[in-house]
């Protein structure tokens, strides 16, 4: 997910003029004499000045990295390897150095991201798919470029942060709502509202599993804040930094090609998961596991963060890059600035040795098993999933949150709620557990009738995410389930102070105060007393879906 960089046809074709661009007449490299890195520090200084004035005018402080939807991979050897590459890249930067740290996530896709505090996140799938260290250096060099060039000084960063918080809040609240479908509150103890406890839990957890995968796919596609020019700058700086660090100048090409392939797969996956999620919800409704009120709330939360296929296509067309154009631009820049020998030199020995090392291979193999277990769960094969997940959480990964989460989900689907809760507790206790894993623990505690523990988990998830705001809708829903209307109102009041229409709308939906808030109309009072607000929820959902993707 990259902002669109417009490309010109290379002038090596005799008599062929450069094609006009959608967003400007020239490629970035065409306006630069010599290598981009030589003038990049000046651009960085200009961006830094804009950042200071913009931040002061908004009255905000520099944003830290918000929590990832993926668990981390706690392996010192792998992180040392990745941070060593970044150190090599930054060593040759002629401008002011930055504190940059790389963390590895359990994500099996091919991507990396940068945050204002200098945090870089790189997906585990990169280590699996990359053929050379040069390729990893080019990918990290692109993200390092965003940090060194101070690309965080824009309103779009705030908008991306707002989307991330809104999406995370929706995921948190949906988990609480779906968990509540399996219990009723009676004498302080949670009891099943239906006869077949194991069957209902498995059905609802299957829906939650699909929703979790859907959130991850949406997060990949919909939260990139970069403008087209900034992506061009990061591409060119990645080439120059990689070359000066001893890597191939051409390593950016496989990065862009793999990124293109990964985006196509993610878009297709997002559309398919949406269909599965809606079908799963309909099944829960038909079986009576989800009431009309719960259905309305889930619809609202889903509409707040998920676009229809056409919305996704429109959003990506407006804000994301045409990677084919970026490949053409970088090819032309490399051909102009680098010799053939510079293009074909590669470094692969250290990466190959790392991938083949017994201790690293055991870790990566176990994560692959956890991936397979998740797929088996989605295919409704709990037995096979349990075998794979059990193996994934052994040996060097026995304390890693992602394999433990896979094991917990498989145990839950197999009807062992006690072990599922115990292993999710172990997963959530890891310092690299994602906020989503901690929220999964909150859902399991709620299902077990442990409301105090669930509340504590939600607060911990907010701390891990980096924003208490993200917890408000889920907390409101949890308090409402317990009948604690005082806490509902107090949390709702806090939420209304947040400058995010999407988040406030979620809080209103959770509190059941849609459209009727502050109204004295008899219909509103009656609707509030009855709790039947599904019609209002559906309308708000459509409104939220429209506003989110009109940026």
């Amino acid at each position: 997910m990259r902002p669109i960089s417009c490309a010109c046809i290379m002038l090596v074709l005799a008599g062929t003029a450069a094609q006009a661009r959608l967003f400007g007449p020239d490629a970035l490299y065409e306006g630069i004499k010599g290598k981009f890195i030589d003038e990049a520090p000046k651009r960085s200084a200009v961006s830094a000045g804009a950042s200071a004035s913009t931040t002061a005018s908004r009255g905000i402080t520099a944003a830290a990295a918000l929590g990832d939807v993926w668990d981390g991979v706690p392996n010192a050897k792998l992180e040392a390897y990745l941070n060593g590459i970044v150190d090599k890249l930054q060593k040759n930067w002629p401008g002011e150095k930055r504190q940059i740290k790389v963390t590895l996530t359990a994500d099996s896709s091919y991507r990396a991201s940068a945050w204002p505090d200098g945090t870089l996140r790189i997906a585990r799938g990169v280590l699996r798919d990359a053929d050379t260290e040069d390729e990893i250096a080019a990918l990290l060099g692109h993200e390092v470029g965003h940090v060194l060039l101070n690309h965080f000084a824009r309103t779009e960063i705030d908008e991306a942060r707002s989307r991330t918080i809104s999406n995370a809040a929706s995921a948190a609240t949906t988990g609480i709502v779906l968990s509540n479908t399996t219990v009723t509150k009676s004498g302080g103890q949670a009891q099943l509202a239906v006869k077949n406890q194991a069957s209902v839990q498995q059905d609802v957890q299957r829906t939650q599993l699909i929703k979790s995968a859907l959130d991850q796919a949406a997060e990949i596609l919909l939260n990139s804040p970069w403008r087209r020019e900034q992506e061009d700058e990061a591409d060119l700086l990645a080439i120059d930094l990689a070359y000066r660090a001893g890597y191939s100048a051409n390593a950016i090409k496989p990065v862009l090609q793999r990124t293109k392939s990964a985006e196509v797969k993610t878009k297709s996956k997002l559309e398919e998961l949406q269909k599965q999620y809606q079908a799963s919800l309909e099944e829960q409704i038909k079986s009576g596991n989800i009431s009309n009120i719960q259905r309305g709330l889930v619809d609202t939360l889903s509409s707040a963060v998920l676009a229809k296929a056409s919305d996704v296509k429109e959003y990506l067309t407006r804000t994301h890059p045409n990677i084919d154009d970026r490949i053409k631009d970088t090819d032309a820049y490399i051909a102009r600035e680098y010799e053939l020998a510079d293009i074909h030199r590669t470094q692969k020995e250290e990466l190959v040795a790392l991938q083949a090392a017994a201790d690293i291979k055991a870790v990566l193999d176990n994560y692959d098993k956890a991936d397979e277990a998740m797929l088996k769960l989605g295919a409704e094969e709990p037995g096979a999933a349990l075998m794979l997940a059990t193996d994934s959480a052994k040996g060097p990964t026995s304390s890693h949150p992602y394999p433990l989460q896979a094991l917990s989900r498989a145990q839950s689907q197999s009807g062992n709620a006690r072990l599922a809760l115990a292993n999710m507790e172990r997963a959530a206790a890891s310092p690299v557990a994602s906020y989503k894993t901690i929220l999964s623990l909150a859902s399991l505690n709620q299902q077990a009738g442990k409301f105090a523990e669930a509340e504590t988990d939600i607060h911990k998830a907010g701390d891990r995410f980096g924003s208490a705001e993200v917890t408000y809708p889920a907390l409101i829903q949890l308090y409402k389930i317990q009948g604690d209307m005082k806490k509902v109102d107090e949390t709702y009041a806090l939420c209304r102070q947040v400058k995010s229409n999407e988040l406030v709308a979620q809080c209103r939906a959770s509190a059941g105060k849609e459209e009727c808030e502050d109204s004295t109309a008899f219909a509103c009072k009656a609707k509030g007393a009855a709790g039947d607000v599904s019609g209002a929820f559906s309308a708000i959902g459509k409104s939220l879906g429209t506003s989110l993707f009109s940026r």
Side-chain angles (χ1 to χ4, degrees), residues 439-472:
L439 288 172
S440 295
L441 175 60
S443 295
L444 290 179
N445 271 322
Q446 181 184 324
Q447 287 176 15
K450 298 180 178 180
F451 295 110
E453 289 86 346
E455 180 180 356
T456 298
D457 295 335
I458 293 172
H459 284 298
K460 286 181 179 178
D463 292 340
R464 184 63 50 88
F465 182 78
S467 169
E469 300 165 354
V470 74
T471 67
Y472 292 159

Side-chain angles (χ1 to χ4, degrees), residues 67-142:
D68 201 293
V69 297
W70 286 96
D71 295 318
V73 179
N75 186 279
K77 189 173 181 179
L78 289 173
E79 288 203 349
Y81 172 71
L82 295 168
N83 280 290
I85 294 174
V86 168
D87 290 343
K88 290 180 192 176
L89 294 170
Q90 194 172 193
K91 182 179 179 180
N92 297 283
W93 167 243
E96 182 181 352
K97 303 295 190 292
R98 292 285 302 274
Q99 290 292 324
I100 299 177
K101 179 184 177 182
V102 187
T103 62
L104 181 65
T105 74
D107 185 359
S108 63
S109 67
Y110 188 92
R111 68 184 185 117
S113 60
W115 291 83
D117 66 351
T119 299
L120 304 186
R121 293 183 180 132
I122 186 168
R124 168 177 55 94
V126 174
L127 289 177
R128 177 197 60 213
D129 295 338
D131 292 324
T132 66
E133 185 173 305
D134 307 65
E135 185 181 334
I136 296 175
L139 177 62
L140 287 173
H142 179 96

Side-chain angles (χ1 to χ4, degrees), residues 22 32 59 77 99 138 150-152 178 210 233 244 250 281 287 328 386 388 446 458:
L22 291 175
I32 298 169
K77 189 173 181 179
Q99 290 292 324
N150 291 302
H151 280 168
F152 299 91
L178 291 176
I210 297 171
E233 289 181 343
R244 291 194 179 188
N250 204 38
L281 281 179
S287 65
K328 291 176 184 177
L386 183 59
L388 286 163
Q446 181 184 324
I458 293 172

Side-chain angles (χ1 to χ4, degrees), residues 316-328:
L316 295 176
T317 300
R318 286 191 290 108
T319 64
H320 290 56
N322 182 320
I323 294 185
D324 288 333
D325 287 345
R326 288 173 64 193
I327 291 172
K328 291 176 184 177

